[in-house]
Amino acid sequence: MTDQELFKELVNKKVISQDISDQILKESSLSGSLAEELLYERRVADEVAVAKIKSALFGAPYKKIDPASISDELLQVIPKDTSQNYRIIPVEKRDGMLVVGMLHPDDVRAQEALRFIAKRERVSLGVYVVTPTDLSLVWRRYVPYSDEIQAAVKEMNLRKDTAEENRLVMLEEGARSSEDAPIIKVVAATLRHAIESGASDIHVEPQRKYLRIRFRLDGELKEVATLPSVLSQPVISRIKVLSNLKLDETRVPQDGRFRTMIGGREIDFRVATFPTPAGEKVALRVLDSVTGLKGLKEIGLNDYNRAILERAVNAPFGMILISGPTGSGKSTTLYAIMQTVNEEGVNVVTLEDPVEYFMNGINQSQVKPEIGYTFASGLRQILRQDPDVIMVGEIRDAETAGLAVNAALTGHRMLSTIHTNNSVGVIPRLIDLGVPQFLLPSALNVMLAQRLVGRLCTECKKPIEILNEMKSEVQSEIEKLPEKLKAEVKQKYGSKPVEFFHAEPNPDCTICKGKGVSGRVAIFEIFEMTKQLGQIVAEGFTEAKLWEEAKRQGMLTLRQDGILKALDGLVGIEDILRETSED
């Protein structure tokens, strides 16, 4: 069965819209990836609904898998690598029959692998259709991360007393050849566990008496392992070898990156070392294109804001500036916009520090200030490359700001980020950087501000009764909404009391792993350059006048966008009010 046939049935059954179907099939054709895999990655359809439709099409029953019911002995029938490569899992073995779960029952390669296993085990085969979540949960039943670490350390036959005794010698001499294999296992297990956990960063931090490993999960750091201090230098050396960094240079920071295969897909790691008295600290940024590269429909924009942004993206020239603090998802939004304009007839050129995700069809370049290759000098060279769309990672100084504005005025679409508290602050910030005030109305298209807030776990969220003063504050913001959105809210909720949710973490929850939140949601505000705003800027403005214009054009503020998402049960209202307190 082809992707087109499956997606046609999904549209007919109203599991996805025709627009989403067309977009994913187009992206699949361009990237060579399976459209069904992209459907799961973008999280635009209910997995169970898709599985039930596939069940009807293939004539194989759908089954919700309980990982705890699968014995360790049964897991050995299908090795983890085989399970991940072919998207198959063992479910049960009874009466001479091996029952398996398959994500793609029509995969010929997976069928051949199962026939080989059935012949080896001398059993017949039974098949269920399963979901990607079922696969992930069963994969965790294979050798746990902590067991791998313990086994690797145990293989080195270390004792606490000798480890502390030999610490200085080990740091100076490095790992002996007999210890290379366990160290490789420690690093490999750590990287695999980071991907399976959905970590955005890995911190390998030597302390005085131990080596600490922490993951950043949903924006918060969590300690996942502590190793003997004697392993600090070998583990960090292994990471430096992978990143092609200088092993004998420990006095100054170094930057590098490497790519590897984990769970059947390519993952990039951006590596940065930092000298400390206890040894070199290493930070690895996980660059997973599956979770990092999203389209405009997947980054959290509602229809109201997306229409404004798409209008600016499709304009023949002008600037789109994104503001927000570090770690607010600005790069994700930039990459989403670039995916929208990435077509055969469009020359997209970027200047980044560093290049986070490699995108086919886009000419990406990394600045190197140490050799004089800065955003400003690189931008001058880009203008000689006949670009249609230019992306500059960040506008940090007056020279870059001036060049970016001139590029926008000379027929280019310019994308970049800038540090301000909100979208209204972009205009005074550019003027502070020396951009002539009279150029801004012609150069700017939209100014976008964003934040990230924890997404409530669907299984752990519970209704909450909010305080009266908080309720009145929320009602006040709803009354200030643009008329179109206010009408939608009143139509959707009517006379029902406003209901919000909060997280009540369940330690046994397999979705959020007891945190109460699973992933993060972006909230946005988009300030559009209109004729009226251009006149205000040209004639001289105050911050009050800018906010009056924002209200006139119906700008949805960060707080209002967050309240709408809280009403939908996506985020907690307390988080929204805290994140947007400056508003």
Side-chain angles (χ1 to χ4, degrees):
M1 184 185 67
T2 64
D3 284 334
Q4 286 78 7
E5 292 171 333
L6 172 61
F7 274 63
K8 182 179 179 181
E9 191 65 18
L10 292 176
V11 172
N12 290 340
K13 298 293 185 182
K14 300 188 182 327
V15 176
I16 59 174
S17 67
Q18 187 65 55
D19 287 345
I20 290 176
S21 174
D22 294 342
Q23 178 188 353
I24 291 180
L25 288 172
K26 178 182 178 182
E27 187 177 341
S28 170
S29 176
L30 291 172
S31 65
S33 304
L34 283 175
E36 187 182 343
E37 295 283 357
L38 293 175
L39 182 72
Y40 297 133
E41 292 166 7
R42 301 292 183 262
R43 297 181 181 180
V44 292
D46 183 273
E47 293 181 351
V48 175
V50 176
K52 289 180 177 178
I53 287 176
K54 289 168 63 180
S55 173
L57 292 173
F58 291 119
Y62 160 72
K63 181 177 176 65
K64 174 66 178 172
I65 305 300
D66 178 13
S69 67
I70 302 174
S71 67
D72 293 340
E73 182 182 358
L74 183 57
L75 286 173
Q76 302 309 311
V77 174
I78 301 179
K80 186 176 183 181
D81 288 345
T82 302
S83 175
Q84 291 181 328
N85 286 336
Y86 298 110
R87 301 294 196 267
I88 56 178
I89 51 174
V91 176
E92 58 181 329
K93 191 176 181 182
R94 66 171 190 271
D95 302 327
M97 175 181 287
L98 174 64
V99 182
V100 300
M102 299 183 71
L103 184 62
H104 305 299
D106 58 337
D107 186 343
V108 176
R109 293 171 60 249
Q111 293 171 2
E112 290 176 353
L114 284 173
R115 280 195 289 269
F116 174 80
I117 292 171
K119 184 177 180 181
R120 183 191 66 198
E121 299 290 324
R122 298 180 181 178
V123 293
S124 57
L125 287 170
V127 175
Y128 285 123
V129 176
V130 297
T131 65
T133 297
D134 291 332
L135 291 176
S136 298
L137 293 175
V138 172
W139 288 340
R140 291 177 190 167
R141 285 291 320 282
Y142 288 89
V143 185
Y145 168 67
S146 57
D147 290 350
E148 289 187 77
I149 290 291
Q150 290 173 8
V153 173
K154 187 177 180 181
E155 190 175 333
M156 298 179 67
N157 196 27
L158 290 173
R159 297 197 314 273
K160 288 185 179 180
D161 54 347
T162 56
E164 183 63 26
E165 197 175 284
N166 296 329
R167 183 176 64 86
L168 292 176
V169 175
M170 288 297 294
L171 285 172
E172 293 172 358
E173 296 178 358
R176 298 188 298 272
S177 59
S178 61
E179 296 172 339
D180 287 348
I183 291 300
I184 290 172
K185 291 178 183 177
V186 168
V187 174
T190 300
L191 300 183
R192 277 199 304 272
H193 185 53
I195 298 302
E196 291 169 357
S197 302
S200 62
D201 298 87
I202 305 168
H203 293 259
V204 183
E205 303 167 319
Q207 307 296 307
R208 193 168 64 87
K209 294 186 177 180
Y210 62 94
L211 175 67
R212 178 172 66 177
I213 298 177
R214 294 193 290 176
F215 293 169
R216 189 172 293 280
L217 302 166
D218 298 327
E220 295 184 3
L221 280 173
K222 179 181 178 182
E223 185 176 295
V224 296
T226 57
L227 307 179
S229 60
V230 70
L231 298 185
S232 295
Q233 193 264 342
V235 167
I236 291 168
S237 292
R238 172 61 182 166
I239 296 172
K240 291 173 74 173
V241 167
L242 290 172
S243 316
N244 199 27
L245 300 179
K246 296 177 181 177
L247 290 175
D248 58 347
E249 181 56 84
T250 60
R251 301 165 300 170
V252 296
Q254 297 186 68
D255 293 316
R257 68 187 302 149
F258 65 94
R259 176 179 293 184
T260 188
M261 290 288 294
I262 296 179
R265 64 182 190 265
E266 290 187 354
I267 307 292
D268 279 305
F269 292 90
R270 194 179 78 214
V271 181
T273 68
F274 186 77
T276 73
E280 287 181 287
K281 176 189 183 298
V282 178
L284 298 93
R285 168 64 57 89
V286 180
L287 304 175
D288 184 354
S289 60
V290 168
T291 57
L293 289 177
K294 300 177 181 178
L296 286 181
K297 293 184 178 180
E298 289 87 56
I299 61 175
L301 285 165
N302 57 26
D303 293 340
Y304 184 86
N305 275 336
R306 190 169 67 247
I308 299 173
L309 183 57
E310 286 178 343
R311 189 159 59 238
V313 169
N314 295 324
F317 62 89
M319 296 180 74
I320 298 175
L321 290 182
I322 303 173
S323 70
T326 301
S328 60
K330 299 188 296 295
S331 294
T332 300
T333 302
L334 280 177
Y335 278 95
I337 295 173
M338 287 195 290
Q339 284 198 96
T340 302
V341 300
N342 184 18
E343 299 174 353
E344 182 182 352
V346 179
N347 180 20
V348 185
V349 188
T350 76
L351 273 177
E352 305 176 53
D353 184 22
V355 175
E356 293 197 12
Y357 298 100
F358 293 106
M359 297 178 65
N360 291 330
I362 290 181
N363 305 290
Q364 298 171 269
S365 181
Q366 180 167 322
V367 300
K368 296 180 179 179
E370 65 272 15
I371 61 172
Y373 184 43
T374 62
F375 283 128
S377 63
L379 191 48
R380 287 194 186 90
Q381 297 302 319
I382 280 182
L383 294 173
R384 301 174 186 173
Q385 295 293 321
D386 185 30
D388 299 299
V389 179
I390 302 170
M391 192 279 270
V392 174
E394 183 182 350
I395 293 178
R396 300 173 179 170
D397 52 57
E399 188 177 9
T400 305
L403 289 168
V405 167
N406 285 328
L409 290 171
T410 53
H412 304 93
R413 282 176 280 179
M414 168 64 64
L415 314 173
S416 191
T417 68
I418 193 168
H419 278 285
T420 62
N421 289 330
N422 48 50
S423 59
V424 171
V426 170
I427 290 173
R429 175 60 179 153
L430 287 173
I431 292 173
D432 184 52
L433 286 172
V435 177
Q437 195 164 321
F438 67 90
L439 293 180
L440 293 180
S442 301
L444 281 170
N445 284 349
V446 296
M447 297 140 280
L448 182 152
Q450 65 182 83
R451 301 284 191 281
L452 289 178
V453 183
R455 181 192 297 269
L456 294 177
C457 174
T458 54
E459 295 296 322
C460 298
K461 68 179 183 182
K462 304 293 181 185
I464 182 177
E465 184 69 29
I466 61 175
L467 299 174
N468 287 333
E469 56 188 53
M470 190 183 295
K471 190 179 296 184
S472 62
E473 187 174 352
V474 169
Q475 292 288 3
S476 173
E477 290 295 336
I478 291 176
E479 289 301 318
K480 296 175 187 174
L481 286 172
E483 290 302 322
K484 179 182 177 182
L485 289 175
K486 192 194 302 184
E488 290 178 3
V489 169
K490 290 185 177 179
Q491 181 180 1
K492 189 173 182 179
Y493 298 101
S495 59
K496 293 188 296 184
V498 175
E499 185 177 54
F500 294 103
F501 296 82
H502 75 138
E504 289 186 4
N506 176 5
D508 299 324
C509 180
T510 57
I511 296 177
C512 68
K513 303 178 183 65
K515 294 180 298 192
V517 295
S518 178
R520 289 184 288 176
V521 177
I523 56 174
F524 298 91
E525 68 177 23
I526 302 181
F527 194 23
E528 191 173 15
M529 178 57 72
T530 59
K531 184 177 180 181
Q532 294 89 337
L533 177 57
Q535 188 172 351
I536 292 170
V537 173
E539 293 175 354
F541 64 88
T542 63
E543 187 174 351
K545 286 185 178 180
L546 293 180
W547 279 109
E548 285 176 13
E549 167 56 21
K551 182 178 180 180
R552 186 206 65 78
Q553 63 179 245
M555 183 184 81
L556 188 64
T557 67
L558 285 167
R559 175 162 288 196
Q560 290 169 341
D561 189 35
I563 288 173
L564 292 180
K565 288 181 168 72
L567 284 170
D568 289 336
L570 293 175
V571 296
I573 187 63
E574 305 100 323
D575 294 336
I576 293 299
L577 297 180
R578 183 178 62 252
E579 280 293 327
T580 60
S581 59
E582 73 272 11
D583 295 334

